[in-house]
């Protein structure tokens, strides 16, 4: 006797699920995160690789749909990667943490800035109580003290608002993969799904667009873009510098030809969340 294929819909129900997926994507503007689509089709408890694999079985053979490397499903031809750069929702993200090892450290400050046509139009900024002592070097570098964090909310108290702010935006940063690795760890501790946002790192764009030999510190990159840095190692000032740097790099990139997010990511060699080590 043949074994069971496991939980999930039968083959006969795939067409109705695909129709629901199409309607959901169409209403959402053409693309959604994979985790959201799983919950929409299979229920609120549909999380994890079993369900994403099942989603692939349902939609993977349907030419109306495409899946991006960042973990999004889109109506073919309407995906985020094909959007003109002027229509893409960019959010600059910067964190301050108790150390550089995401799996051992905690976030103490977060800043996120939404950019539209080169201008910051909205912001999310919060100190975060790490529920541990603040290392002496962090106090010296950032000026953040135990007293500053004593009344700050825990990460779990700000995560919903932060994720709502990030939404499905393309995340931008300096050494962004390291910041995202810290954020993914905080989400893991809370039992939440990881981020699946597309990313663009200014460290990947800079070698292509700025003068050769520019040492890739934030100060040097900003200076090459004509941006003055007056304060470092606080989430909001750093995010403001990165926002200015990114807007400058985006203007330079457009002059070189890229018109869509996919074009930009191809030139930068970037696109999905991850981790990395970058100069501070």
């Amino acid at each position: 006797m043949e074994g069971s294929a496991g939980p999930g819909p039968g083959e006969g129900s795939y067409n109705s699920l695909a129709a629901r997926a199409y309607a959901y994507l169409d209403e959402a503007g053409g693309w959604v995160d994979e985790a959201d689509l799983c919950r929409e089709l299979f229920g609120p408890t549909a999380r994890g690789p079993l369900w994403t694999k099942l989603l692939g079985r349902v939609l993977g053979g349907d030419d109306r749909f495409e899946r991006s490397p960042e973990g999004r499903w889109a109506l073919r031809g309407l995906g985020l990667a094909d959007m003109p750069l002027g229509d893409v929702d960019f959010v600059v993200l910067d964190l301050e943490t108790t150390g550089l090892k995401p799996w051992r450290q905690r976030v103490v400050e977060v800043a996120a800035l939404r950019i539209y046509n080169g201008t910051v139009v909205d912001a999310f900024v919060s100190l975060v109580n790490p529920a541990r002592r603040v290392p002496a070097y962090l106090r010296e570098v950032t000026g953040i003290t135990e007293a500053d964090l004593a009344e700050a909310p825990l990460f779990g108290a700000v995560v919903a608002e932060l994720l709502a702010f990030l939404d499905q935006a393309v995340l931008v940063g300096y050494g962004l993969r390291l910041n995202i690795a810290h954020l993914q760890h905080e989400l893991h501790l809370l039992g939440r799904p990881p981020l699946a946002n597309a990313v663009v790192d200014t460290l990947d764009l800079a070698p292509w667009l700025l003068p050769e030999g520019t040492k890739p510190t934030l100060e040097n990159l900003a200076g090459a873009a004509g941006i003055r840095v007056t304060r470092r190692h606080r989430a909001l000032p750093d995010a403001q510098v990165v926002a200015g740097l990114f807007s400058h790099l985006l203007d330079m990139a457009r002059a070189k030809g890229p018109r869509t997010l996919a074009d930009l990511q191809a030139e930068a060699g970037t696109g999905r969340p991850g981790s990395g080590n970058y100069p501070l």
Side-chain angles (χ1 to χ4, degrees):
M1 185 174 67
E2 294 184 0
S4 171
E11 295 291 337
S13 63
Y14 280 11
N15 288 341
S16 62
L17 285 170
R20 285 175 54 198
Y22 189 96
Y24 184 63
L25 282 159
D26 186 51
E27 185 176 354
W31 58 275
V32 297
D33 288 339
E34 189 166 59
D36 291 337
L37 189 53
C38 279
R39 288 191 290 270
E40 173 67 19
L41 296 187
F42 307 128
T45 62
R47 298 181 178 182
L50 175 65
W51 295 103
T52 56
K53 182 178 180 180
L54 180 59
L55 183 64
R57 287 172 57 190
V58 173
L59 303 183
D62 192 323
D63 290 339
R64 295 175 297 171
F65 304 96
E66 60 181 346
R67 185 187 184 279
S68 75
E70 299 81 38
R72 287 187 170 87
W73 282 91
L75 299 179
R76 191 171 296 278
L78 296 177
L80 175 65
D82 298 318
M83 282 187 181
L85 288 171
D87 295 334
V88 176
D89 186 18
F90 291 107
V91 170
V92 173
L93 177 70
D94 192 83
L95 306 176
E96 298 298 332
T97 66
T98 58
L100 297 179
K101 296 180 179 179
W103 60 94
R104 295 179 55 184
Q105 308 299 336
R106 301 300 301 272
V107 171
V108 297
E109 189 174 35
V110 57
L113 304 177
R114 177 161 277 102
I115 299 177
Y116 181 73
N117 282 341
T119 301
V120 175
V121 297
D122 200 2
F124 174 91
V125 183
S126 181
L127 287 170
V128 177
N129 188 332
R132 64 172 63 177
R133 289 196 61 182
V134 178
Y137 72 84
L138 180 69
R139 296 195 300 269
E140 294 167 2
V141 170
T142 67
I144 298 173
T145 67
E146 299 276 2
D148 293 328
L149 299 177
E151 300 300 322
L154 296 171
F155 188 81
V158 302
V159 65
E161 185 178 358
L162 172 61
L163 293 178
F165 187 91
L166 299 181
D167 195 26
Q168 298 174 337
V170 177
L171 303 184
V172 177
Y174 170 85
L176 181 60
R177 293 175 185 87
L178 184 59
N179 277 329
I180 287 181
H182 280 284
L183 194 51
Q184 303 286 44
H185 179 61
E186 294 285 355
L187 293 172
H188 173 73
L189 292 176
L190 293 171
R192 285 180 170 264
L195 289 177
N197 298 58
V199 301
V200 175
D201 198 318
T202 54
L203 272 170
D204 296 325
L205 287 175
W208 172 46
L209 297 168
L210 295 179
E212 185 176 354
T214 302
K215 187 177 179 181
T217 64
L218 183 56
E219 289 88 344
N220 287 343
L221 296 182
I227 299 166
R228 185 183 177 193
V229 179
T230 58
R231 188 179 184 185
R232 281 295 322 274
H233 300 299
R234 287 298 300 267
L236 180 57
D238 281 356
Q240 289 169 331
V241 170
V242 173
L245 173 61
F246 176 67
S247 295
H248 178 80
L249 293 174
L250 194 58
D251 286 342
M252 294 181 71
R254 284 171 172 155
K256 285 180 173 285
R259 292 291 179 265
T260 67
L261 179 63
D263 295 338
L264 187 69
Q265 291 176 329
E267 294 290 353
T270 189
R272 68 181 65 187
S275 62
N277 296 312
Y278 298 97
L280 300 178

